[in-house]
Amino acid sequence: LSVGSVLALSAAVTAAAILQWKLAVPAAAALGLATGLLCGAVTGAVSVAWRLPSFIVSLGMLEAVRGGAYLVTDSRTQYVGDAIAGLAAPWIGGVSSAFVLAVAIVIVGHLVLTRTVFGRHVVGIGTNEEAMRLAGIDPRPIRIAVFAVTGLLAGLGGLMQSARLEAADPNAGAGIELQVIAAVVIGGTSLMGGRGSVINTFFGVLIIAVLEAGLAQVGASEPAKRIITGAVIVAAVIIDTVRQRRAGAA
């Protein structure tokens, strides 16, 4: 739930590193990514150490990290200018660098989840954490690693967004957790754990993006967009539940 706030804080730290601390762009970008990684690792560590529901911990981080973004930016949009615009510059054929990175991350994520021991452990923990523990696999470092990677990718998203806009907005990513949940559920990932696909999630993201673009084209208001997006999430969960019940009955 804190990915939007982590996105904003990572972008804010990158902008502060360039504007206030006079760091070079590569060093500032690395600092922004490290911020996202740290936020994710802290979320995972707190959840694991105290055996708290990750939902509650990430909800608390949503507010805490957003507050950090306001502090770093002094509650104002920080205009970086051309300093980091090169990170979002189109590549060969005018293809966005952000799109190329997204595709690369999807491919790597799919291979890790389906072809590596770590990926199988992740799926196994999502299916039955206690069974994995009894099998001799400690789920704690794996859970922390998943949260850390999530934070790192949220930080990368913040970096690319700030490069595209040439600015860091402390309100960036507000409400994006709803879109994330929608994309993941539409992509077929079970909210109960144990089943999911990075590639299908990518298609879920495309569906959400096309839905938003279509609603914008027809002039839908912001309340209408939220209502429709929420309805899509509920419908996806219902379809997933029905599919699981039918599979269980079979």
Side-chain angles (χ1 to χ4, degrees):
L1 294 179
S2 61
V3 287
S5 298
V6 173
L7 180 151
L9 180 59
S10 297
V13 169
T14 301
I18 295 174
L19 299 175
Q20 301 175 25
W21 308 328
K22 307 303 180 183
L23 295 182
V25 172
L31 188 59
L33 294 176
T35 299
L37 179 67
L38 179 61
C39 289
V42 168
T43 302
V46 171
S47 177
V48 168
W50 279 275
R51 298 182 180 179
L52 299 175
S54 55
F55 177 88
I56 300 300
V57 178
S58 61
L59 181 62
M61 289 294 288
L62 181 150
E63 289 296 323
V65 174
R66 181 68 64 180
Y70 285 130
L71 284 175
V72 172
T73 61
D74 196 24
S75 300
R76 295 178 297 180
T77 300
Q78 301 296 311
Y79 296 97
V80 186
D82 296 334
I84 60 173
L87 297 176
W91 288 11
I92 298 175
V95 179
S96 167
S97 57
F99 178 77
V100 174
L101 279 174
V103 172
I105 290 170
V106 168
I107 294 173
V108 172
H110 175 72
L111 293 176
V112 169
L113 197 62
T114 59
R115 303 295 178 87
T116 67
V117 174
F118 174 79
R120 297 190 183 279
H121 286 174
V122 170
V123 176
I125 291 171
T127 303
N128 191 325
E129 183 173 343
E130 184 62 25
M132 295 293 288
R133 185 182 292 107
L134 294 175
I137 298 169
D138 187 357
R140 293 174 296 182
I142 298 174
R143 290 186 61 189
I144 294 174
V146 170
F147 277 102
V149 171
T150 301
L152 176 64
L153 294 178
L156 179 60
L159 178 63
M160 298 308 298
Q161 184 187 63
S162 61
R164 179 172 62 86
L165 301 177
E166 300 183 8
D169 182 2
N171 294 308
I176 199 175
E177 60 276 353
L178 178 64
Q179 299 175 0
V180 170
I181 294 172
V184 170
V185 172
I186 291 172
T189 297
S190 173
L191 295 178
M192 299 297 103
R195 191 182 77 250
S197 166
V198 178
I199 293 179
N200 288 343
T201 298
F202 179 67
F203 286 117
V205 171
L206 294 181
I207 290 173
I208 292 297
V210 171
L211 178 63
E212 289 189 345
L215 291 174
Q217 287 286 341
V218 300
S221 63
E222 187 62 28
K225 293 179 182 178
R226 289 179 175 271
I227 292 172
I228 294 173
T229 303
V232 169
I233 295 175
V234 173
V237 173
I238 292 174
I239 292 172
D240 179 67
T241 302
V242 172
R243 183 170 53 195
Q244 288 190 54
R245 289 176 179 175
R246 287 181 176 177

